[in-house]
Amino acid sequence: MKREIKKGIEWVGKVDWEIREFHGAEYSTHRGTSYNSYLVKDKKTVLIDTVWDPFSEEFVENLEKSGDLKEIDYVIANHAEVDHSGSLARLMDRIPDVPVYCTSNGVKSLKGHFHKDWNFVPVKTGETLDLGSKKLMFIEAPMLHWPDSMFCYLTEDNILFPNDAFGQHIATELLYNDLVDQAELYQECIKYYANILTPFSRLVEKKINEFVNLDLPVDMICPSHGVVWRDNPLQIVNKYMEWSKNYQENQISIVYDTMWNGTRKMAESIAEGIESKDKSVRVKLYNISHTDKNDVVTEVFKSKALLLGSPTINRGILSAVAGFLEEIRGLGFKEKKAAAFGTYGWSGESVKMINDGLEKAGFELLSEGLRLLWNPDAGMLDECEQFGKEIASKTES
Ligand code: FEO
């Protein structure tokens, strides 16, 4: 299937309605996704990115049936991750001499994935490819989010092709940002940023400033996942700027796991304490073993503080909490506060272990945490409420 998005520019990607796990099982895709590939036809024809390799046969067949395959003069590989480069092997079998434009890191990554010596043309920021009446300008974007990542910009039509940046995992036949449900779109954009781009926020800010300084008009942004931004396309760029600056809302997330409900009761009483002290703050509770971890990461991204709880088990913490600590360590959140809590029966190491994990993850501890022996009674739950009030006081905006 192909869709004309502007005269001479076609979307030739694949909408994947079925996928529910991405990056192995690392990223949940509740709303599916798309792998966007674009064909730009001028005096020369250029294919920008491909689709994930389970769809490579269909992708190449479609290009062949439409007569476009033999017209391709250049291939652009903005990013070597296989959701975008996966069809290159099948494609290049058919058009082996066509040059593949990518960054020098892209050459390494593509060779590392496919072990082929295609006709690579490494490019740098500012270099251009003449298509006849228009040019494609290349903009390296290292670590947004791989070393090889690159954007390209089409002059005359003023279209930015930023690959993963500004994308989101949504399957839709509607194609454009103004046609889809806006709440769903926002949720998928912020989830994508929180879970994928948070570690690279400084680079996001720098790259956006660099792009703004090029003073190029932008009529459309065509990322490699989800919708094409045609209505006020810079809205997503502005959101990225906001999110890249240690973003937080007036929210506290309480994330926990529990064995016999003692730590759950603590979580709920702490929440009551926070709410009684500060009516303006939004408090959300998540049992991490029953909640999608990427959704919880998105809530932590929006939070000014994270309270993390686990009972003690085998001198340690519950495995879902341990996994979550590893998740947030890798993301490297900045300027967020935190505290630990949990019940115990005898050895009672959980709070200290969570404190250590939170500090390693870059959170500022608000207290030594709260640990309670056995199942909390009314008095102990009052202690939890008091703990919540103290957290509210220390985080009041
Ligand atoms: Fe959509 Fe980094 O791949």
Side-chain angles (χ1 to χ4, degrees):
M1 189 185 80
K2 63 179 182 174
R3 306 269 302 268
E4 186 176 77
I5 57 171
K6 208 167 175 186
K7 194 167 170 6
I9 304 166
E10 291 164 351
W11 177 95
V12 290
K14 172 69 188 176
V15 178
D16 187 348
W17 287 93
E18 279 198 0
I19 192 165
R20 289 294 177 268
E21 286 181 333
F22 198 81
H23 289 157
E26 267 307 294
Y27 191 106
S28 56
T29 44
H30 307 315
R31 296 183 171 94
T33 193
S34 67
Y35 317 102
N36 297 339
S37 170
Y38 302 94
L39 205 55
V40 179
K41 297 175 176 175
D42 194 6
K43 292 199 176 78
K44 297 287 188 181
T45 295
V46 59
L47 179 72
I48 301 176
D49 294 321
T50 70
V51 305
W52 189 30
D53 86 309
F55 303 107
S56 63
E57 189 174 350
E58 170 180 345
F59 176 71
V60 175
E61 251 178 36
N62 285 344
L63 289 171
E64 186 159 41
K65 274 189 215 149
S66 61
D68 292 323
L69 186 66
K70 63 181 184 322
E71 301 297 325
I72 296 171
D73 296 294
Y74 311 110
V75 171
I76 311 295
N78 277 324
H79 179 29
E81 197 164 9
V82 291
D83 49 329
H84 309 296
S85 69
S87 297
L88 273 179
R90 191 178 289 267
L91 179 77
M92 298 314 291
D93 277 350
R94 304 296 308 280
I95 49 171
D97 300 323
V98 167
V100 178
Y101 286 69
C102 59
T103 62
S104 54
N105 278 326
V107 177
K108 289 182 206 160
S109 301
L110 290 168
K111 283 188 175 176
H113 275 105
F114 298 103
H115 311 286
K116 298 278 189 189
D117 206 10
W118 293 319
N119 181 12
F120 290 111
V121 181
V123 291
K124 288 188 162 55
T125 296
E127 290 179 358
T128 56
L129 176 63
D130 200 340
L131 305 181
S133 65
K134 310 166 190 176
K135 284 181 180 162
L136 261 186
M137 178 197 282
F138 302 105
I139 302 157
E140 294 164 277
M143 298 319 295
L144 295 180
H145 67 127
W146 273 22
D148 63 270
S149 298
M150 175 173 87
F151 302 173
C152 54
Y153 174 84
L154 185 65
T155 64
E156 311 310 316
D157 291 306
N158 308 330
I159 300 179
L160 180 67
F161 298 92
N163 196 264
D164 279 329
F166 313 125
Q168 70 301 137
H169 290 302
I170 286 182
T172 177
E173 299 297 341
L174 298 173
L175 194 59
Y176 298 106
N177 69 306
D178 49 303
L179 300 184
V180 299
D181 183 298
Q182 297 301 292
E184 285 185 4
L185 177 59
Y186 181 81
Q187 177 59 24
E188 292 302 332
C189 287
I190 195 167
K191 175 181 173 181
Y192 191 92
Y193 190 99
N195 283 274
I196 296 175
L197 289 157
T198 295
F200 312 113
S201 280
R202 294 231 158 79
L203 296 171
V204 169
E205 189 183 352
K206 204 169 147 206
K207 184 54 58 183
I208 291 176
N209 283 328
E210 186 188 316
F211 184 73
V212 167
N213 289 337
L214 291 173
D215 205 19
L216 299 168
V218 177
D219 293 345
M220 219 179 252
I221 296 178
C222 295
S224 58
H225 297 291
V227 296
V228 166
W229 298 90
R230 68 172 180 187
D231 175 46
N232 183 15
L234 292 180
Q235 64 179 290
I236 187 62
V237 179
N238 293 334
K239 275 289 162 204
Y240 266 46
M241 261 319 226
E242 200 182 329
W243 293 335
S244 70
K245 294 175 179 169
N246 304 332
Y247 183 73
Q248 52 183 251
E249 298 174 14
N250 190 15
Q251 176 172 328
I252 296 176
S253 292
I254 304 179
V255 179
Y256 64 93
D257 196 1
T258 192
M259 293 170 73
W260 297 108
N261 288 324
T263 300
R264 175 182 63 77
K265 286 181 200 161
M266 287 185 76
E268 290 173 2
S269 295
I270 292 167
E272 282 173 28
I274 296 170
E275 282 162 347
S276 70
K277 177 76 183 169
D278 181 357
K279 300 273 183 267
S280 69
V281 70
R282 186 194 314 134
V283 182
K284 293 188 181 178
L285 281 75
Y286 298 97
N287 180 321
I288 189 61
S289 64
H290 297 154
T291 318
D292 181 278
K293 70 177 184 225
N294 303 112
D295 291 339
V296 179
V297 161
T298 309
E299 295 303 327
V300 173
F301 178 73
K302 292 193 285 185
S303 297
K304 59 185 179 182
L306 164 67
L307 307 186
L308 190 57
S310 171
T312 296
I313 181 170
N314 298 333
R315 297 180 175 269
I317 56 179
L318 291 176
S319 58
V321 176
F324 189 67
L325 272 170
E326 172 56 19
E327 193 80 23
I328 57 177
R329 184 206 58 74
L331 290 169
F333 289 115
K334 304 270 186 307
E335 292 182 16
K336 293 195 190 291
K337 297 182 167 65
F341 62 95
T343 55
Y344 69 106
W346 49 102
S347 60
E349 289 90 343
S350 70
V351 166
K352 182 178 179 321
M353 283 186 74
I354 294 172
N355 280 344
D356 290 349
L358 287 168
E359 280 192 310
K360 272 190 201 138
F363 287 74
E364 180 196 330
L365 292 183
L366 289 164
S367 80
E368 288 180 357
L370 180 63
R371 59 177 206 153
L372 295 179
L373 186 60
W374 298 117
N375 198 28
D377 62 9
M380 288 168 160
L381 293 178
D382 285 347
E383 211 181 316
C384 291
E385 267 197 63
Q386 190 52 41
F387 182 74
K389 285 178 188 169
E390 283 163 22
I391 296 290
S393 301
K394 289 178 180 173
T395 55
E396 222 155 0
S397 311

